[in-house]
Amino acid sequence: MTIQLDFSLFTQPEFLGQVGKGLLGTLELAALAFALAIAMAVLIAVMRMSNSKACQAVAAAYVEYHQNVPLLVHIFLWYFGVAALLPAGVQQWINAHNSEFIFAFIGIGLCLGAYMSEDLRGGIRSIPTSQLEASRALGLSYLQAFRLVILPQAVRVSMPAIINHTVLLFKNTSLAMTVGAVELTYVTKEVESQTFRTFEIYLASTVMYLGLSLLLMWFGAVIENRIRIRNR
Amino acid sequence: MNDIINIIQDNWELLLVGQYPHGPIGGLAVTLFLSLVGIVLAFPLGVVLALCRLSPFRFLSWPATAIVYVVRGVPLIMFIFWTYFIVPQILGRPVAGITTMLVTLVIYQSAYLAEIVRAGMQGLPFGQTEAARAIGLSYMQTTFKVLLPQAIYNMVPAIISQFVSSIKDTALGYVISVNELTFAASQINANLLTMPFQVYILLASIYFVICALLTQLARYLERRIALRRAGKAGASAAVASAMQQANV
Amino acid sequence: MNNAMDKTTNNGAPMISFRGVHKWYGEYHALNDINATVGKGEVIVVCGPSGSGKSTLIRTVNRLEPIQKGHIEFDGQDVCSPNLDINKFRSHVGFVFQSFNLFPHLSVTENIELAPVTVLGEKRNSARERALKLLERVGLASKASAYPGQLSGGQQQRVAIARALAMNPPAILFDEPTSALDPEMVGEVLQVMKQLAREGMTMMCVTHEMNFAREVADRVWFMDHGVLIESDTPEEFFRNPKSERAQRFLNDLRSH
């Protein structure tokens, strides 16, 4: 088995440009999906704590559905399934505006949002009820107590789990390549088929993914340290 | 809804077992085969990796930690492409997609299982180790006869969770044309062309039923184990955190 | 045997009044026909064996516990009225918990100014000034930027008292304020409470600290099994309790 490595392709600007576009695509996808995931996580967590049984049931169903179906299937369902159900005008608009990207980030964001909502829920449940009591005794409404006292503490507790899922969300952007979104893995396969320098390009994008994942994990640790509740 | 019933009626064989007996086996059977065999093979590897991570010898713990970090930092789909490329090179001959997928899953799962076993070991009260060493058991004997059995028992719910994850991971076999459930569904969709939503909702439902049932089993076992071990606060907390870790 | 002796006030109305109050936890009769009043500026100590319902009673005043029967009034407001703006009402009632319940993610000053800013709409600057003055009053001016986790139990409870005072309540309820403290820290908290009493604050305290009762209480209420059995002045209660259960309670207290 002889592999002759030729990394010269990385000095060629058009390939660098391609890889750059892919990397940018990955980062954009990750950022959008993350924003959606966090929004859903807070929404679902709030719904689960509401007094309405209907709200709770909807939230629980959302979480169960997204956690028990593979992310790839979610993406397919959005890109192939939901897209076909949309009215023609909307379909045209979406197709003209990078539909692979849109459906991919929706699928990833909603799915990981379910996991993050469970993290948040665990964090909220870990805050002793005496904190809520003390807030209510001071005259804070339930919403004020939740916003100013419970949630800030719950976020700190759930941080490690949420960071874990953030790294997972970032890695899972690679699944978008299956529907043709231009991100790092898609570009990797493109370059491979164009240059046949499989090992080199695989190595390069693996290093990039690994580097960014580790960066995210490190960044998460920094944040955890910053917001840590001070004890003696 | 009628559409979905029709799809099931026409294609249930394809979904369940692929083209068998008129062709290679596929569909749900392959999905379950991959995840079951995958986790069975990954388990001993995961235990070894966990023990290496916990080992006081740096020549064991550093590479093991590196392996776990690399596996957790690289997307599974990239892994699949790597294995698809490298394994035929190593063996000098072409390799079936299903084998590639199995190898990838084994390596990938073993890293996550290693973390679960490690959490289980670290969640045991230190008194267990002390007592074992006090009656004269060696490090290996302590580990294999006293600590591991308890750690693994405590981790059963997390391991089942990881099994559920591996069922979902098999869907990625689609990208290298492994004939598993998602691939079967995409074939059906390619045939029908006019009902993508129904096909994929059906696909989602099949995964949902299987994974939800297994998840319920894991939760039930977690409650049983937590009750049994009431008082050993460390073990239950370790179970809870490992279940969180493994839960994708 | 329920004795209701008002301390007459300027307008004659008591600060807190219980009339025919009953509470059940399922089958368990937690409060049984409580009739009593707390006058303005009075300091009431509520004591009794555990399970007697004293904590439950004090928690009904700001509706942390609901009641099934009877009337409770606080500063002229009907506590159980469905039309009551519960949040506005509670901001009016000072409450100090046994386990302090400070907010660990906020500094000491932020703990104190949270409710004035959020509930009373006070400007942060003036709330902060008042918070610092209150910290001085409880002897913790130096800890203004510390976090609860960095303080001792006694210090935390004093901050909790300052937090309650920040809302300018007409009365403060204390639910076993020193029971969770190490013995050497009980004194510093009691000192703050005694000072409050001397300044004329209406106080209702559930406590085992009998010396505190002797020094500043106007009346001692003794409860057992949900019934308010005695209401005496401290001297009467400690020297000559009228009921046998109170006798037994005092003996148990003295013997350990």
Side-chain angles (χ1 to χ4, degrees):
Chain A
M1 163 184 98
T2 47
I3 297 184
Q4 276 164 316
L5 297 183
D6 177 14
F7 286 96
S8 66
L9 78 90
F10 290 118
T11 56
Q12 292 167 22
E14 68 256 32
F15 287 118
L16 277 182
Q18 244 181 324
V19 171
K21 250 186 23 177
L23 189 58
L24 210 61
T26 290
L27 293 173
E28 276 179 12
L29 200 51
L32 285 171
F34 180 72
L36 181 59
I38 291 285
M40 288 311 294
V42 174
L43 177 63
I44 295 292
V46 169
M47 278 175 75
R48 279 197 109 141
M49 294 186 336
S50 83
N51 287 322
S52 144
K53 288 271 177 183
C55 257
Q56 286 183 24
V58 167
Y62 174 91
V63 171
E64 285 296 312
Y65 168 69
H66 280 101
Q67 283 188 334
N68 285 308
V69 176
L71 182 50
L72 187 64
V73 175
H74 284 302
I75 295 177
F76 283 175
L77 198 52
W78 280 100
Y79 183 71
F80 296 118
V82 172
L85 291 180
L86 292 172
V90 183
Q91 278 193 41
Q92 275 181 6
W93 183 89
I94 285 199
N95 281 330
H97 285 86
N98 212 345
S99 64
E100 303 85 18
F101 210 78
I102 292 181
F103 285 120
F105 105 75
I106 291 178
I108 298 175
L110 291 180
C111 184
L112 268 296
Y115 287 99
M116 290 186 188
S117 82
E118 286 291 274
D119 296 337
L120 213 55
R121 181 168 163 240
I124 292 173
R125 271 157 63 168
S126 74
I127 307 298
T129 47
S130 53
Q131 287 288 300
L132 184 61
E133 245 194 359
S135 323
R136 298 308 304 278
L138 284 171
L140 269 68
S141 73
Y142 185 75
L143 219 55
Q144 288 171 326
F146 184 72
R147 184 173 56 95
L148 296 167
V149 176
I150 309 287
L151 195 58
Q153 296 184 58
V155 165
R156 285 164 169 89
V157 172
S158 7
M159 239 342 153
I162 291 184
I163 289 170
N164 245 342
H165 282 127
T166 305
V167 176
L168 213 57
L169 179 145
F170 168 72
K171 286 200 303 171
N172 278 325
T173 56
S174 55
L175 290 176
M177 64 94 57
T178 57
V179 297
V182 177
E183 50 75 56
L184 190 53
T185 313
Y186 181 86
V187 162
T188 306
K189 293 297 279 177
E190 252 190 353
V191 171
E192 179 195 14
S193 62
Q194 285 168 352
T195 67
F196 297 103
R197 305 249 60 111
T198 311
F199 189 86
E200 292 87 328
I201 187 63
Y202 278 10
L203 187 62
S205 58
T206 303
V207 166
M208 279 187 267
Y209 271 118
L210 193 54
L212 286 168
S213 296
L214 291 174
L215 193 67
L216 264 175
M217 288 192 234
W218 173 81
F219 194 60
V222 167
I223 294 183
E224 267 183 80
N225 252 323
R226 274 306 211 62
I227 64 174
R228 200 164 36 98
I229 290 178
R230 269 151 268 190
N231 279 316
R232 40 159 100 243
Chain B
M1 194 56 207
N2 272 327
D3 293 332
I4 299 183
I5 297 184
N6 286 333
I7 297 174
I8 300 179
Q9 281 179 330
D10 295 335
N11 294 294
W12 66 273
E13 281 166 344
L14 188 66
L15 286 170
L16 274 181
V17 289
Q19 288 159 333
Y20 192 83
H22 308 293
I25 195 167
L28 185 56
V30 167
T31 292
L32 292 175
F33 168 79
L34 278 174
S35 35
L36 210 51
V37 175
I39 209 161
V40 163
L41 291 178
F43 193 72
L45 243 108
V47 170
V48 168
L49 215 54
L51 292 177
C52 285
R53 274 204 81 172
L54 293 169
S55 146
F57 300 120
R58 275 198 256 171
F59 76 91
L60 284 178
S61 65
W62 280 17
T65 309
I67 292 176
V68 169
Y69 266 101
V70 167
V71 170
R72 286 178 64 185
V74 178
L76 178 55
I77 203 172
M78 250 341 275
F79 253 109
I80 294 175
F81 289 141
W82 265 117
T83 327
Y84 196 60
F85 166 65
I86 288 251
V87 172
Q89 299 257 355
I90 297 179
L91 294 181
R93 59 174 177 83
V95 171
I98 200 172
T99 319
T100 311
M101 196 60 201
L102 190 60
V103 171
T104 318
L105 279 177
V106 167
I107 300 176
Y108 199 71
Q109 299 294 335
S110 64
Y112 281 95
L113 280 172
E115 290 296 86
I116 292 175
V117 172
R118 183 171 76 98
M121 296 280 283
Q122 288 178 325
L124 293 174
F126 188 60
Q128 293 290 306
T129 315
E130 286 184 318
R133 301 311 295 274
I135 59 176
L137 294 178
S138 74
Y139 177 81
M140 291 301 259
Q141 290 170 325
T142 310
T143 306
F144 283 96
K145 288 198 185 287
V146 175
L147 297 178
L148 262 184
Q150 290 188 57
I152 292 172
Y153 175 80
N154 283 336
M155 289 330 219
V156 162
I159 294 175
I160 295 184
S161 263
Q162 190 58 37
F163 179 57
V164 171
S165 286
S166 77
I167 292 179
K168 292 186 285 178
D169 288 339
T170 60
L172 258 59
Y174 167 87
V175 303
I176 51 174
S177 303
V178 172
N179 205 339
E180 44 72 52
L181 187 57
T182 306
F183 188 79
S186 68
Q187 279 184 322
I188 296 172
N189 184 43
N191 274 335
L192 292 175
L193 280 181
T194 52
M195 294 189 278
F197 184 78
Q198 289 86 333
V199 171
Y200 284 114
I201 262 285
L202 176 62
L203 178 64
S205 315
I206 299 176
Y207 277 114
F208 180 80
V209 167
I210 298 174
C211 294
L213 283 175
L214 283 169
T215 308
Q216 288 299 87
L217 176 65
R219 287 186 193 149
Y220 167 72
L221 287 174
E222 186 189 14
R223 279 194 299 267
R224 284 279 300 267
I225 292 180
L227 280 174
R228 279 264 206 115
R229 300 264 156 159
K232 296 213 179 128
S236 310
V239 171
S241 70
M243 280 201 72
Q244 266 203 347
Q245 265 192 8
N247 228 343
V248 186
Chain C
M1 195 178 87
N2 299 313
N3 233 332
M5 192 187 96
D6 308 336
K7 194 170 181 175
T8 45
T9 64
N10 293 338
N11 51 11
M15 178 65 71
I16 309 176
S17 80
F18 301 91
R19 273 181 297 138
V21 170
H22 289 263
K23 180 184 173 58
W24 285 269
Y25 281 122
E27 296 284 313
Y28 177 65
H29 203 168
L31 293 174
N32 195 341
D33 196 27
I34 310 287
N35 290 286
T37 59
V38 179
K40 198 154 188 267
E42 262 201 302
V43 175
I44 305 289
V45 163
V46 185
C47 66
S50 68
S52 54
K54 43 193 206 296
S55 274
T56 312
L57 181 67
I58 203 179
R59 288 160 65 97
T60 59
V61 178
N62 65 350
R63 240 159 74 170
L64 286 180
E65 300 281 356
I67 60 173
Q68 281 80 33
K69 228 172 121 176
H71 298 276
I72 304 179
E73 270 190 24
F74 179 88
D75 202 18
Q77 291 185 294
D78 178 4
V79 176
C80 313
S81 152
N83 299 323
L84 188 67
D85 181 343
I86 189 64
N87 294 321
K88 201 142 169 257
F89 170 71
R90 282 181 179 150
S91 67
H92 210 50
V93 183
F95 200 98
V96 175
F97 293 87
Q98 180 176 354
S99 41
F100 348 126
N101 291 345
L102 292 181
F103 306 132
H105 62 299
L106 299 175
S107 76
V108 158
T109 318
E110 285 165 347
N111 258 277
I112 300 176
E113 67 188 25
L114 176 69
V117 168
T118 315
V119 181
L120 301 179
E122 197 175 332
K123 284 252 182 302
R124 194 169 284 275
N125 289 335
S126 87
R128 176 146 300 201
E129 260 185 63
R130 283 203 306 120
L132 293 172
K133 286 213 198 84
L134 283 167
L135 279 175
E136 260 190 68
R137 205 167 143 192
V138 300
L140 286 171
S142 60
K143 298 283 183 185
S145 45
Y147 280 78
Q150 297 167 316
L151 301 180
S152 75
Q155 291 169 327
Q156 288 189 52
Q157 192 63 298
R158 285 190 274 155
V159 173
I161 297 177
R163 183 175 66 173
L165 285 171
M167 302 297 276
N168 279 325
I172 303 190
L173 311 167
F174 292 84
D175 186 1
E176 302 211 41
T178 57
S179 300
L181 296 176
D182 288 338
E184 67 267 18
M185 293 191 257
V186 169
E188 67 196 60
V189 174
L190 289 181
Q191 201 179 357
V192 172
M193 290 168 66
K194 286 183 210 168
Q195 180 61 25
L196 277 178
R198 276 181 230 123
E199 287 166 4
M201 173 67 77
T202 313
M203 293 162 65
M204 200 173 149
C205 313
V206 173
T207 184
H208 298 296
E209 293 293 329
M210 293 301 135
N211 283 325
F212 172 79
R214 261 190 270 258
E215 269 181 70
V216 289
D218 293 300
R219 300 199 71 83
V220 174
W221 292 357
F222 176 74
M223 286 184 71
D224 193 9
H225 285 99
V227 181
L228 181 56
I229 299 190
E230 283 194 43
S231 168
D232 302 325
T233 65
E235 300 80 40
E236 288 167 18
F237 182 72
F238 289 113
R239 242 179 311 125
N240 228 348
K242 300 192 190 74
S243 68
E244 189 226 324
R245 281 191 264 186
Q247 281 269 29
R248 250 186 297 144
F249 174 70
L250 284 172
N251 286 336
D252 286 340
L253 220 54
R254 285 175 187 134
S255 65
H256 83 327

